[in-house]
Amino acid sequence: METLTLGTGNSQELRVAIDKAVDHLEEGSIVALPTETVYGLAANALNAEACASIFEAKQRPNFDPLIVHVSGQEMLDSVAEIPDNIADVTYTLIKEFWPGALTFILPKKEIVPDIVTSGLQTVAVRRSKNKIFAEIINSLESPIAAPSANRFGSISPTSAAAVNIELSGVIPLIIDGGACSEGVESTIIKVEPSEKKKPIIKILRPGPVTPEMLKKFGKIEKNQSHLDETSSLTSPGQLDSHYAPKTPLRVLASPDEFKLDCSKSYALLSYRGQRKDGYLELCEWSHIETLSPGSGKLPEAAVRFFYSLRKLDELGVDEIISEPIPERGIGLAIMDRLKRASHQFN
Ligand code: TXA
Ligand code: MG
């Protein structure tokens, strides 16, 4: 299959790209679309066959459910139930963070095909703030199922070029909306009622909406699902090994942990590229990628993270070594992805 990539650089291109994407989705085809977090591989969420093509293209196991994107309250109500006992906090969170990188796990409505939720009685829902995505979903007037547009387990794409590397020849259309502004996938939460004053907000996947941002709305619980495979029923996609480059990756908690094997070539993923952190001079690096040069700004590191990982993976070195990222704010999400990316080799 030939993969067409359509640009959105001027208003005419943008119009053509949006119309083409909507046509494809209406016909039950799949399309890669930009969102503010990562590129998504989209299908009409109410078309089970189209959603099956997502699993096929990504080679994703069917026990890993998809996120359903909505355009607003009405569409949300069509796919999910908001239970009374969590309604107040859920609506408050929606008002505060939508459109944006926050995904809710809610009881699903009948209309959502089982393939989308992998047979679960819950559905993951979010509203993207990407303008191109928003225009497409508004024209389609149907919810859009879209996991990240990479092959299963691989590095998430934050540009159309990265989608091309992942899925060229497998999908018909990519809409190029430029680089993603957040750079890591949405925060996934499950809100639960509590006897106490504050409801519980369980973070199933850390992301751009951080615990610090959520804590005034409820008691934060961090889900340890990736450490406990038996919890797979509540969050089946939180697999240990994910976001994995082909090159072995090791996160070094401290520079002293590194024992140089002179027969190997190494590349470094540095947080802020500062000598005083102790990593730059550990060895003769084949290449150094710095996430946020100088002062180490976490949002900048997030935006550059998947891009940098992909770049290092393409060098053909024996091993990628990563500095740890401070686990605060969006740094928590970056470290979560780094740990999963390195899991299979450690
Ligand atoms: O930012 C994002 O969330 C991106 C963009 C494209 O929207 N999407 C994304 O989708 O990251 P994906 O499929 O790569 O990750 C979705 C995660 C998976 O780990 C899946 O297991 C989990 O959401 N998930 C989906 N439905 C769920 C459910 N009902 N209960 C628990 N986890 C669920
Ligand atoms: Mg993914």
Side-chain angles (χ1 to χ4, degrees), residues 241-274:
S241 171
H242 228 90
Y243 315 102
K246 295 183 276 307
T247 314
L249 167 75
R250 194 153 37 125
V251 187
L252 286 192
S254 121
D256 318 330
E257 276 181 29
F258 191 56
K259 300 270 178 300
L260 184 68
D261 171 352
C262 294
S263 63
K264 282 181 157 190
S265 57
Y266 299 97
L268 177 70
L269 184 61
S270 174
Y271 170 43
R272 50 186 188 170
Q274 286 211 11

Side-chain angles (χ1 to χ4, degrees), residues 35 37-40 58 60 64-67 69 103 105 120 122-124 126 146-148 185-186 188 204-205 234-238:
T35 85
T37 56
V38 301
Y39 273 70
K58 281 187 57 117
R60 179 173 173 125
D64 193 6
L66 308 178
I67 291 183
H69 299 70
T103 298
I105 304 294
L120 294 177
T122 52
V123 60
R126 92 167 179 103
S148 50
E185 299 88 343
S186 62
I188 303 182
L204 304 186
R205 177 176 72 182
T234 53
S235 89
Q238 305 302 306

Side-chain angles (χ1 to χ4, degrees), residues 179-191:
C180 300
S181 59
E182 299 278 3
V184 290
E185 299 88 343
S186 62
T187 306
I188 303 182
I189 61 165
K190 190 161 191 296
V191 179

Side-chain angles (χ1 to χ4, degrees), residues 66-83:
L66 308 178
I67 291 183
V68 172
H69 299 70
V70 297
S71 59
Q73 186 68 46
E74 203 179 316
M75 211 179 265
L76 168 66
D77 290 337
S78 73
V79 294
E81 207 80 64
I82 300 183

Side-chain angles (χ1 to χ4, degrees), residues 36-284:
E36 72 277 40
T37 56
V38 301
Y39 273 70
L41 183 56
N44 179 340
L46 305 183
N47 180 336
E49 244 175 81
C51 293
S53 314
I54 294 181
F55 286 89
E56 204 187 332
K58 281 187 57 117
Q59 297 178 316
R60 179 173 173 125
N62 57 13
F63 58 77
D64 193 6
L66 308 178
I67 291 183
V68 172
H69 299 70
V70 297
S71 59
Q73 186 68 46
E74 203 179 316
M75 211 179 265
L76 168 66
D77 290 337
S78 73
V79 294
E81 207 80 64
I82 300 183
D84 287 345
N85 57 6
I86 56 160
D88 283 353
V89 57
T90 304
Y91 286 120
T92 307
L93 289 169
I94 285 174
K95 198 157 169 254
E96 185 82 14
F97 296 107
W98 274 17
L102 185 64
T103 298
F104 294 84
I105 304 294
L106 291 165
K108 91 178 199 51
K109 289 214 170 136
E110 198 73 46
I111 195 174
V112 181
D114 284 336
I115 188 164
V116 171
T117 62
S118 301
L120 294 177
Q121 288 311 306
T122 52
V123 60
V125 220
R126 92 167 179 103
R127 180 178 173 195
S128 171
K129 75 169 171 215
N130 179 285
K131 292 217 161 66
I132 298 171
F133 192 98
E135 274 209 47
I136 291 171
I137 197 168
N138 284 334
S139 303
L140 186 67
E141 295 181 339
S142 171
I144 290 179
S148 50
N150 51 276
R151 278 172 290 112
F152 181 70
S154 174
I155 301 171
S156 300
T158 50
S159 67
V163 179
N164 249 307
I165 293 167
E166 289 290 321
L167 296 171
S168 181
V170 182
I171 61 172
L173 182 63
I174 299 170
I175 304 301
D176 185 350
C180 300
S181 59
E182 299 278 3
V184 290
E185 299 88 343
S186 62
T187 306
I188 303 182
I189 61 165
K190 190 161 191 296
V191 179
E192 288 177 356
S194 157
E195 307 285 275
K196 308 240 171 66
K197 228 171 108 198
K198 275 186 165 185
I200 295 161
I201 301 176
K202 275 195 175 153
I203 300 183
L204 304 186
R205 177 176 72 182
V209 177
T210 63
E212 292 89 333
M213 291 155 84
L214 290 168
K215 71 177 183 216
K216 74 171 175 190
F217 303 102
K219 184 171 178 301
I220 305 299
E221 279 184 12
K222 289 174 197 160
N223 190 283
Q224 296 295 303
S225 63
H226 63 287
L227 302 175
D228 173 13
E229 281 170 20
T230 56
S231 67
S232 60
L233 267 185
T234 53
S235 89
Q238 305 302 306
L239 302 174
D240 269 358
S241 171
H242 228 90
Y243 315 102
K246 295 183 276 307
T247 314
L249 167 75
R250 194 153 37 125
V251 187
L252 286 192
S254 121
D256 318 330
E257 276 181 29
F258 191 56
K259 300 270 178 300
L260 184 68
D261 171 352
C262 294
S263 63
K264 282 181 157 190
S265 57
Y266 299 97
L268 177 70
L269 184 61
S270 174
Y271 170 43
R272 50 186 188 170
Q274 286 211 11
R275 227 165 270 282
K276 66 178 180 202
D277 294 333
Y279 291 84
L280 296 190
E281 281 162 1
L282 275 180
C283 91
E284 192 84 12

